Amino acid sequence: MKKDDKVFCMCKNCAGKRNHDVMYSYTEETNPEYRIDISYAIIKCRGCNNISFLRQVEDYEVMIPIDEEKYEPETTQEIYPKSIEDYKENRDIYLIPEIVRKIYMETISAIKNGQSIISGIGLRAIIEAICNDKDIKGRDLKFRINKLASLGIIARDDARRLHAIRFLGNDAVHDIKPAKKDSIIIALNIIDHTIQSLYTFNDSGEYLELPINEYIDLEKLILLALKKMSIGTKFTFAGILGKDIRRVEDVEIMEKEFFEKVKCGNYKEINSQVTLENNKNKYEKIMA
C-alpha cells in the first residue's frame, strides 16, 4: 500500500465499508522466507471525507483466489478510531444523564473491541441505569421494566424489547455466554431508541409542535404571546393561544389554572379583574 492508492475499508461516519484514498502510508516488509506486509496509513473516505488511521496486514503465504487466474494475499484491517459496522453512533450523547451515559459509553467501547460477553452485560446495565435515573425501584429488573411501561414512561412494546435485552444480559452474567454480533447490534439499536424517546427527543419541542399536558409548558406559550401583544388588548384563553390551542391536552383544566393564576396576580401583565363576555372569560393586557 502506498500514497494515492485506493483502499476499501470501514468508515465510522458512513457506518459501513467505503472506498478511501491513502493520504500517507508506511509499510514494513517481514522476512522474505515468510512474507507478511504490515502497512500503516492515514486514509480519507471518498464518501464523507472522514479521516481514519488504518493498520493493514497482508499475508502472502495465504493467497485467496479472486478469479480463475488471479490471487490476492489474505488481508486483515484495523481502523482507528474503532467503530461498529452497520451502526451509527448517537451524536446527542451529551443529552443523556451521567448515570446512563457512563455505562452507555463503556458498553459502546466493549462492542467496538469485540468483547461480546461484556457487551451483553453492559446492555443490560444500561436498562438498570435508566431505571435508576427515573427512580424506578423494585425487586428485580423484570419488575422495574414492567413498571416503566405501567407508568407510561415507555410503551409496552418497548418494554417487551427491553426484556429481550434483559435475557441477553442474564445469559452473559450467569452463563458467561457471548452474545451474537447481530443480536448485539439489534439490542444496541433498541437501547438507542429508548434513550432517544426518554432523553434526546426532549429537545424536539424547539422544532416540533408537541402536545402540551403540563402547565409549565403552556406558560411558555402564554408569556411569548403576551410579549407580542399591545397594552389594552383584550383576549380569551383560546385567543391568546391561537392555533396552539390544538396542542393542549385538557383545555378545560389548563384554562382553569390560567384563570386562577390571573386572579391571584401571578401575571403582572394581565389585569387581575377578569370580565365575563358571552360566557367566556375576557382578559386584558395592562402593562409590558
Side-chain angles (χ1 to χ4, degrees), residues 80 82-84 106-116 119:
Y80 302 91
K82 291 188 176 181
S83 58
I84 304 170
E106 289 185 14
T107 303
I108 291 289
S109 179
I111 295 171
K112 287 179 180 178
N113 286 284
Q115 299 167 325
S116 54
S119 299

Side-chain angles (χ1 to χ4, degrees), residues 90-105 108 126 129-130 133 191-192 194-196 198-200:
N90 189 339
R91 295 182 181 274
D92 296 323
I93 190 74
Y94 63 93
L95 294 173
I96 305 173
E98 185 178 4
I99 190 175
V100 181
R101 184 171 65 247
K102 288 180 70 175
I103 186 61
Y104 176 84
M105 292 177 70
I108 291 289
I126 293 171
I130 289 172
D133 176 64
I191 289 291
D192 277 349
T194 304
I195 284 174
Q196 287 171 346
L198 296 178
Y199 306 114
T200 308

